Amino acid sequence: MSFVLSGIFTPFHYQFFNNGIIVATIAGALCGLLGVFVVLRGMSYIGHGLSHAVFGGAAASAVMNINYFVGAGVWGVASGVIIGRIARRRLIGADAAIGVVTTASFALGLALLNRYGQAKKSIEAVLFGSVLGVNTIDIVAVSAVAVLSIVLIVSLYRAFLFATFDPEVAQVSGVRVAWIEALLMGLLSLTILVTMRVIGTLLISALLVIPASVARMLTNSFARMLWISPVIGAVSSFTGMYLAYFLDTSASATIILTGTLMFIVVYTVTGLRGRTRISGLHHI
Amino acid sequence: MIGEVLVECAHMSCAYNSTLAIKNVDFTIRKGDFVGIVGPSGSGKTTLLKAILGAITPIEGHVTKKPQLRMGYVPQVESVDWNFPVTVLEVVVMTRSAMGRLPRVTKDERAGASLVLERLGLGGLENRHIRELSGGQQQRVFVARALFHRPELLVLDEPTSGVDVRTRHEVLHLLADLHDEGVSIILSTHDLNGLAAHLPRLVCLNSEIIADGSPVEVLTPEVLEKTFGAPMEVLIHGGMPVVVDGVGADIAERMSRLG
């Protein structure tokens, strides 16, 4: 019995695992929180594209020996704001524009790492995430972005809700919709930036979409979605990270598979009611 | 007695990406007005409403509003996702975004919203999800949201678009009641017989103002052809103009020959 119990707690004897599971759990909650806006605004493609854009910044900062958070951060926030403006103004087809901007940034990152970096190792770490390199700075960074997001979303709750539900009327009612959207894109960029090292570029968008979609099936209330989705994100990240240790699989892939399993269970249990609720979500 | 000027558009032109939507519009809304803007799709009706609301800036001319004018805007029902996870109460208090920053709906807000909802025949539906409402109820929730902060001028974009006859009657009665209570109203509509002909003042718009006056003055075959670019006939029924599609009569004749 004691052998089994000690086995259960084995991963927690390693500092790298403790750092990784803390960052993954907070990242899951953070992605769950912002994912509510991503799914309700039909921005899943933007989230996906943004993670690719941040990859370009990460690669450039690695090659130029600039601090990752500074280089990828500036690049990511700038990309987020540009994508937000393109999507809002509909200057050209938003999907096409986002595709061009973000994949160009991604391709540039790849080229830079091929030419100047330790290509294979760096690319794999950024694409699929890695728990080995996670340190105290990552914990502080993801915690800071989580606190900032919670404070802003709670204190500007009504403006966020109004601008998401009905931006046109929100604008004429005095809500600064463009400002709210820029803020949301900035938070999304920061979230991707601080979670990318653990989750990886390719799987972040799933962590943005799955918990919020599960929450939508469980409730008809925006306010409740804002706490159910982070809880689901945190639970799936913690569980996925923990299982990955024993299954010897990629942490990010196991996290997403755990989330997907929760999605399937909730989809089955909630039946027609859940299906009706998520049927209105765009671009899922 | 002529009411105080609420909104005045002077030589106003508006454009989207260099495409002119409305040009050289001179138009005034006074306290007590109940105005309908009619015109075909793409004639600039929504643009005119948005310019009045301040959502777009004219490229020429200007819009002058009474200082501190309180306006309520009711967009087209189709403009939002009715599957969005919000309750009727949350939608109604949304316009208090600037004042109520935190998620919690205050006691005063709840009481105020309940009064407005009761007034619009939606009492007891505060905690219902918006998807559970009928088309007419959804339209009234939008009106309730606009009325929540007691507007002097209510602006409605196609309030009867896509609704059935019964809902159209409900909306028309509701607007007439609000007007009787002192709310000035401007709305856009395609619906010439079902809505426009019942209003005291109509403005025909097709990029520029074609005519402005009472339905009897404005709904004439000449004005309608100039506005809609298609022949129409006008009959008078019970003292009210009834617009008949000229092409429709032609098609009916051809169909009868086929029969």
Side-chain angles (χ1 to χ4, degrees), chain A residues 158 166 168 216 222 277, chain B residues 50 83 85 100-101 109 145:
Chain A
R158 295 246 184 118
D166 194 349
E168 189 185 8
R216 181 67 190 94
F222 181 77
R277 285 174 178 170
Chain B
K50 284 186 176 173
N83 199 40
R101 292 182 183 280
E109 286 175 334
R145 181 177 64 177

Side-chain angles (χ1 to χ4, degrees), chain B residues 56-112:
Chain B
I56 54 173
T57 311
I59 55 165
E60 274 176 24
H62 59 268
V63 182
T64 312
K65 289 177 210 161
K66 176 196 155 192
Q68 312 297 326
L69 176 68
R70 290 191 309 276
M71 290 193 284
Y73 177 41
V74 182
Q76 293 189 37
V77 174
E78 297 86 358
S79 69
V80 302
D81 170 16
W82 289 96
N83 199 40
F84 195 91
V86 277
T87 62
V88 169
L89 178 67
E90 284 173 315
V91 173
V92 174
V93 302
M94 262 181 202
T95 46
R96 288 278 178 92
S97 293
M99 286 168 269
R101 292 182 183 280
L102 297 174
R104 200 168 55 86
V105 176
T106 65
K107 226 178 202 177
D108 284 352
E109 286 175 334
R110 183 177 284 273

